[in-house]
Amino acid sequence: MLRRRAIVGGLAAGAVAASPVSALAKLLAVGRRPSETFTLANGLQVVVLPSSRAPTVTQVVVYKVGSADEAPGQTGIAHFLEHMMFKGNAGGEPIDFSRTIARNGGRDNAFTGFDTTGYHQTIASDRLELIMRMEADRMANLRIVDKEVIPERQVILEERRMRIENVPAALLDEAVREQLFGRHKPYAMPTSGYPDDVKKTGVNELTAFYRKHYAPNNAVLIVAGDARPEAVRKLAEKYYGPIASRRVGPRRRPTEGPGDLPQRVTRADARVVEPGWSRDYLAPSYRVGETRHAYALQVLARLFGGSETSRLWRSMVVDSKLALSTSAGYSASSLGLSSFGFNVHPAPQRTVAEIERALGDEMKKLLDGGVTAGEVERTQNQLLAAAVYSQDSLASGPRVYGTVLTTGGSVTDVDEWPQRIAAVTPADVLAAARHVWRDDGSVTSLLTPAAGTR
Amino acid sequence: MMKFRGLLAPLIGMAVAFGGTGAGAVDVKEITTPRGLKAWLVEDKSAPVVALSFSFAGGVASEAKKERGATSFAAALLTDGAGSSPSQAFRTRLEDAAASIGFSASSDRLSGSLRVLTATRDEGFELLRLALTQARFDSDMVEQRRGQFISSLNQESQRPGSVASRTLTDTLFAGHPYASDLAAVREGLASLTADDLRRRAKALLVRDGLLISAVGDIDAAELGRQLDRAFGDLPQGAAQPLPPDWTPPTRPRTVVVERGVPQSSVQIALPGIARDDPDWYAASVMNYILGGGQQSRLFNEVREKRGLAYSVSSGLRTYTKASLLVVSTGNANEKVGEAIRVIRAELARMRSEGVTEAELADAKTYLSGSLALALDSSGSIAGILQSLQTDKLPRDHLDKRAALIGAVKLDDVRRVARRLLRDEAMTTIVVGKPVGLTSDP
């Protein structure tokens, strides 16, 4: 199963089946955290998520750009630019972004995904103005210089060694993506970039990429925590308001897979001790493909393989003992196609053929017999409970809104997520499984030990 | 791709003021239940959720030689069926209550947590009671977990960072219960029986030494009732014996473990400082300046100036009977030698020159505020309270911490740097294929 970042709603706890219907109603009645949204004249969308738990505030700016927006031969540039955002000379003055945040008692970080690049800071709420001023400054005034790019390139290559080249499963993941989405296509090119591309990325390329994608009308500002919406609006007008909007081109994503599936990928690696088996299917997202299946697929993933009481776990770990663990995963929040994946960690001495037969039987059982109203309802309760718990975390609101709003979704999509999950029927789940579980949309992969030096 | 990860100072404590600007305090109550249990409580109605964090005195280091591995193994099985509910039924009850219960073992303690919704609180605490007092240890679950534990040890042996951590503890704590003693653990995992695990759980799950913290949508009276239900039936018992004192190394040592990876994982360790040492706060300030964040000297010299690493940091680690200062990094095999030279030079420079007034002021500001930033969820706040209790800090520590950090002087940092940053006590672990570096004979 492919590695993923933020998943809307998440897969966490469970909920209430003693009287499932009333329990569902109770969870829905809890409601979502109060949010307020508005858009500045220059197109910057702003979301405020107030909470009085701690005297701290979190600012997140997400840009509608990620590694899936890169051109072949320029892989890794979205991530490279994310690093340079901490180093550039803004407004002609040297900045030291993170040091200034830390000097004020805060912490900051950033991330790059396939569809999203995000920057976040958490700090005492009386320093909100400082971080809004600084973030707005680097949205408009970043200057990238050679002196900073040269050592940072080495840092980025070290990051790739740590996350990818040192990790056999991550190398296999890259190979699977190339098969599933098609070589040199979005979601196949690694976010960390191919080393050859990273080595030839310099000031000119980075600056051009920044100018092309970093603009208020291509970003979302999210402020969560101890802040009043009126105060946020005033500060947003003051610091982000003057930044001119810019014409931003459309974001292109393929609507179909490469057309030569199914494929198999094996990575035999001397460093591997425990084998791993996975299968990934191309799947619709909220935006691309048969999008009507997007909510039912979330229920399907949880019901079929999302916990230790799921069908797959009970069948392969508890009953037949073919596997030490199993899982299923799906994320609908993608601007392009998504994937639906299974992981199986085979028990010792078990063969790939046995694993594939058992999984196939379990899938067929579902495709032939469908799912019961009871198991769908239990699964919905679990998904909705996870949404309640996410209200208990200050970090989770910005994460969810940031993901949805940079992948073509709206605030309404976030707020109505529980109702839409609750509306999924057993027939919807079956239709979604029939649509996605097709051999001609899959890549099966195996990670296996090989002779040689570990 | 995160730009930074795991680089923030692993300090325990909580700030109530930010650089003197003032902010709301966290109101920690201590309650005593009708059956005599004590707990810390922060009532917080932000969400309809209750989080509990608790721990028992005695962890992996109190295992007998022949039961190595039993603490973590038993901990995992506590939620694999209890009372009349076998594993699948127990897990279904947890899911239906939207509750999660988890246990984990460290060297010195067995820790647990509960998270439950207000609406399903009774069932959540009832399931906790069952896990603590009536875990089943059914043979099919013992075998399932056995297979998973053995496999996860195998997987750890694939990861250079895990191998480096284990090699570090095995080198520093050779012959002491804090060593990981992998061979004995593997033997234990292969042979421990359900009865062995039941016995181990019974020995650990006692009221003597139990610490409880609760956060969320619950008042003192209700918490008292629920705690009595979950923990009240546990025997008074006796806390596990403490490990013997540890003798720190007195000569430098380098250990290289060969692995076929392009990036070596590096850990450099020195004897650290006890949590109750009067110089703890000076050491925390020193560590922050040395390698505690994105603006530390190590970060600047190793990453920003030279591009030798993506991640480089230092941290203070404390055990009941030992303490360490550990620098961690990862470098391309051909750069390991240079990175280690730069790190050692920075340790030496801090030892001989101390830190500047500006560095001291920045460190104080950051450390005073850093813990409030971790007040993310009920669970994370309960975890912070639990750390304070484990460290035997007073309930009002949250109000005092900023002043304790603020009182650190340049001379204090210099003194503690001279005391801690000693070449002759340095242990260096490298896992990978470092160019030009070999183990000491």
Side-chain angles (χ1 to χ4, degrees):
Chain A
M1 182 167 70
L2 296 171
R3 290 141 178 255
R4 285 191 188 78
R5 307 209 72 81
I7 300 174
V8 178
L11 300 173
V16 201
S19 162
V21 178
S22 65
L24 196 63
K26 208 173 350 178
L27 284 172
L28 286 172
V30 170
R32 297 197 60 83
R33 69 176 76 218
S35 66
E36 170 146 335
T37 65
F38 51 90
T39 303
L40 302 187
N42 61 9
L44 180 72
Q45 187 179 8
V46 186
V47 178
V48 191
L49 305 167
S51 158
S52 54
R53 159 163 284 160
T56 61
V57 66
T58 296
Q59 173 182 239
V60 182
V61 167
V62 282
Y63 291 93
K64 296 172 187 177
V65 63
S67 61
D69 297 294
E70 295 166 348
Q74 249 191 19
T75 61
I77 193 168
H79 175 237
F80 204 146
L81 176 58
E82 177 226 301
H83 277 239
M84 297 319 297
M85 285 282 278
F86 290 83
K87 322 267 295 182
N89 293 5
E93 295 291 315
I95 57 160
D96 200 333
F97 199 93
S98 297
R99 185 180 295 269
T100 308
I101 302 291
R103 271 189 185 142
N104 284 277
R107 61 174 65 152
D108 72 319
N109 210 329
F111 63 91
T112 307
F114 289 109
D115 294 319
T116 308
T117 310
Y119 301 84
H120 52 92
Q121 306 87 33
T122 299
I123 202 161
S125 36
D126 61 358
R127 308 290 162 96
L128 177 61
E129 179 161 6
L130 170 79
I131 58 176
M132 288 181 74
R133 177 166 57 76
M134 289 174 66
E135 193 65 84
D137 187 41
R138 68 177 173 178
M139 177 182 282
N141 301 318
L142 185 73
R143 285 228 329 259
I144 302 166
V145 293
D146 231 15
K147 189 172 88 76
E148 306 276 15
V149 166
I150 291 164
E152 200 61 21
R153 188 184 289 124
Q154 298 310 311
V155 170
I156 288 164
L157 291 169
E158 283 297 352
E159 180 178 3
R160 186 179 154 84
R161 278 185 204 105
M162 181 184 88
R163 292 189 195 286
I164 312 288
E165 289 161 26
N166 262 23
V167 184
L171 288 165
L172 177 61
D173 193 61
E174 285 191 355
V176 170
R177 285 185 174 281
E178 288 181 349
Q179 295 293 332
L180 192 66
F181 294 104
R183 224 173 135 65
H184 302 308
K185 292 285 195 297
Y187 309 116
M189 298 181 291
T191 301
S192 59
Y194 295 114
D196 285 348
D197 291 347
V198 173
K199 284 174 194 160
K200 59 184 201 228
T201 298
V203 170
N204 292 342
E205 293 81 10
L206 287 161
T207 304
F209 196 84
Y210 171 70
R211 293 251 160 81
K212 190 171 168 192
H213 297 287
Y214 280 48
N217 47 312
N218 204 38
V220 183
L221 165 67
I222 302 159
V223 177
D226 181 24
R228 284 174 305 113
E230 318 83 74
V232 173
R233 184 192 287 268
K234 243 173 89 184
L235 291 170
E237 293 283 5
K238 181 172 176 188
Y239 293 108
Y240 291 93
I243 303 172
S245 61
R246 202 177 267 162
R247 206 183 63 78
V248 178
R251 306 178 74 188
R252 294 180 208 287
R253 299 287 186 272
T255 53
E256 286 179 352
D260 59 352
L261 301 178
Q263 293 287 343
R264 283 184 177 267
V265 184
T266 297
R267 183 177 179 88
D269 193 310
R271 296 172 289 178
V272 170
V273 185
E274 291 282 314
W277 181 95
S278 302
R279 180 173 293 158
D280 291 276
Y281 294 86
L282 281 174
S285 66
Y286 286 132
R287 301 295 145 235
V288 168
E290 301 282 329
T291 55
R292 65 198 159 89
H293 295 304
Y295 293 92
L297 285 169
Q298 295 171 58
V299 175
L300 175 68
R302 169 94 199 172
L303 179 159
F304 191 71
S307 76
E308 292 194 14
T309 60
S310 67
R311 284 186 174 208
L312 203 52
W313 185 284
R314 275 187 283 130
S315 162
M316 294 183 70
V317 180
V318 177
D319 294 339
S320 72
K321 302 183 172 43
L322 286 167
L324 295 175
S325 66
T326 62
S327 62
Y330 166 74
S331 166
S333 291
S334 170
L335 194 59
L337 286 169
S338 186
S339 64
F340 188 106
F342 298 116
N343 271 340
V344 178
H345 184 162
Q349 323 302 335
R350 295 304 187 165
T351 65
V352 169
E354 285 176 292
I355 299 292
E356 293 187 1
R357 197 178 317 123
L359 175 69
D361 288 349
E362 206 52 50
M363 292 168 79
K364 187 166 183 305
K365 202 161 96 192
L366 190 146
L367 291 170
D368 290 348
V371 295
T372 68
E375 61 184 329
V376 169
E377 201 147 347
R378 285 195 69 237
T379 305
Q380 288 165 324
N381 282 331
Q382 291 165 24
L383 291 169
L384 298 184
V388 174
Y389 280 117
S390 86
Q391 291 176 44
D392 182 46
S393 159
L394 294 176
S396 102
R399 196 162 54 227
V400 171
Y401 281 96
T403 304
V404 171
L405 298 178
T406 52
T407 52
S410 67
V411 169
T412 309
D413 289 332
V414 177
D415 293 343
E416 289 185 357
W417 183 84
Q419 282 81 0
R420 294 180 195 170
I421 287 291
V424 171
T425 66
D428 295 338
V429 175
L430 179 58
R434 285 190 176 141
H435 177 70
V436 170
W437 291 352
R438 290 188 308 212
D439 283 346
D440 61 358
S442 76
V443 175
T444 303
S445 54
L446 181 66
L447 187 64
T448 183
T453 318
R454 271 173 60 194
Chain B
M1 245 10 63
M2 303 296 290
K3 180 163 175 277
F4 313 107
R5 203 163 73 173
L7 298 180
L8 292 157
L11 291 170
I12 299 309
M14 183 164 2
V16 291
F18 295 91
T21 58
V26 176
D27 180 21
V28 185
K29 289 194 211 94
E30 181 167 47
I31 70 157
T32 303
T33 70
R35 295 177 73 177
L37 292 157
K38 287 195 186 317
W40 286 9
L41 166 64
V42 172
E43 222 181 309
D44 177 346
K45 298 193 180 298
S46 310
V49 169
V50 181
L52 203 63
S53 181
F54 53 90
S55 70
F56 298 91
V60 173
S62 64
E63 289 170 352
K65 183 82 183 167
K66 60 175 179 17
E67 56 169 12
R68 287 299 248 168
T71 309
S72 298
F73 199 167
L77 280 151
L78 294 177
T79 47
D80 281 334
S84 59
S85 303
S87 178
Q88 281 291 312
F90 189 81
R91 288 199 173 271
T92 302
R93 282 179 73 178
L94 275 171
E95 287 181 351
D96 289 349
S100 57
I101 297 176
F103 292 91
S104 67
S106 68
S107 294
D108 293 314
R109 298 192 75 83
L110 174 65
S111 303
S113 64
L114 163 71
R115 188 179 74 163
V116 67
L117 299 174
T118 304
T120 53
R121 201 159 59 195
D122 280 333
E123 173 74 346
F125 278 88
E126 170 63 11
L127 290 168
L128 180 59
R129 179 184 77 82
L130 290 172
L132 290 169
T133 58
Q134 293 180 40
R136 293 168 62 95
F137 297 94
D138 286 332
S139 62
D140 59 335
M141 286 314 300
V142 171
E143 294 316 311
Q144 189 192 114
R145 295 298 172 208
R146 191 195 306 281
Q148 288 164 349
F149 267 108
I150 291 169
S151 156
S152 76
L153 278 187
N154 290 340
Q155 284 179 318
E156 269 175 38
S157 74
Q158 292 174 210
R159 288 193 287 268
S162 306
V163 175
S165 298
R166 200 181 64 227
T167 308
L168 182 71
T169 48
D170 285 354
T171 304
L172 287 169
F173 298 128
H176 187 278
Y178 287 152
S180 69
D181 205 357
L182 195 61
V185 171
R186 280 187 183 281
E187 228 168 86
L189 285 177
S191 61
L192 288 162
T193 65
D195 280 343
D196 295 332
L197 299 174
R198 213 172 269 129
R199 212 165 24 240
R200 182 65 186 152
K202 215 174 155 192
L204 287 166
L205 301 176
V206 298
R207 285 173 62 160
D208 184 26
L210 169 63
L211 301 172
I212 304 171
S213 324
V215 175
D217 182 19
I218 192 165
D219 64 27
E222 175 65 10
L223 178 65
R225 277 191 294 276
Q226 298 288 2
L227 293 180
D228 278 349
R229 179 212 296 253
F231 296 92
D233 291 340
L234 291 174
Q236 186 56 32
Q240 295 284 297
L242 291 176
D245 287 337
W246 172 60
T247 313
T250 49
R251 63 182 185 86
R253 191 160 171 208
T254 299
V255 179
V256 176
V257 180
E258 195 161 308
R259 283 286 189 279
V261 287
Q263 185 187 80
S264 293
S265 190
V266 178
Q267 299 203 355
I268 298 173
L270 293 160
I273 186 163
R275 184 60 188 80
D276 57 3
D277 191 291
D279 268 336
W280 170 261
Y281 293 97
S284 300
V285 166
M286 181 204 78
N287 175 67
Y288 177 75
I289 297 166
L290 177 68
Q294 300 159 19
Q295 42 289 317
S296 70
R297 289 184 177 189
L298 290 177
F299 198 86
N300 194 39
E301 295 296 325
V302 176
R303 171 169 159 157
E304 302 293 279
K305 277 195 194 159
R306 295 180 178 83
L308 294 172
Y310 168 69
S311 142
V312 57
S313 64
S314 67
L316 298 172
R317 266 184 225 173
T318 56
Y319 301 73
T320 307
K321 291 288 193 173
S323 57
L324 300 175
L325 188 159
V326 182
V327 177
S328 309
T329 186
N331 322 101
N333 287 325
E334 56 275 19
K335 305 267 183 66
V336 174
E338 186 185 353
I340 290 176
R341 271 194 301 282
V342 173
I343 291 167
R344 287 183 180 165
E346 284 308 313
L347 295 173
R349 180 162 77 94
M350 186 165 283
R351 174 181 160 78
S352 60
E353 297 172 12
V355 302
T356 66
E357 281 287 2
E359 285 175 316
L360 178 65
D362 285 352
K364 286 180 179 178
T365 311
Y366 180 80
L367 293 174
S368 305
S370 60
L371 249 118
L373 305 182
L375 301 178
D376 178 66
S377 62
S378 303
S380 61
I381 300 169
I384 289 167
L385 297 185
Q386 183 61 209
S387 306
L388 299 182
Q389 291 198 66
T390 307
D391 288 339
K392 300 191 171 69
L393 293 165
R395 195 159 42 92
D396 62 354
H397 178 73
L398 309 177
D399 302 327
K400 292 177 177 160
R401 183 171 177 271
L404 292 166
I405 291 167
V408 172
K409 305 271 188 305
L410 270 186
D411 277 349
D412 300 329
V413 178
R414 192 162 296 144
R415 180 179 63 252
V416 82
R418 279 198 213 110
R419 178 178 150 194
L420 295 180
L421 307 178
R422 293 179 301 123
D423 285 352
E424 66 271 22
M426 191 179 294
T427 302
T428 305
I429 308 293
V430 182
V431 178
K433 278 191 157 178
V435 174
L437 210 66
T438 50
S439 292
D440 292 337

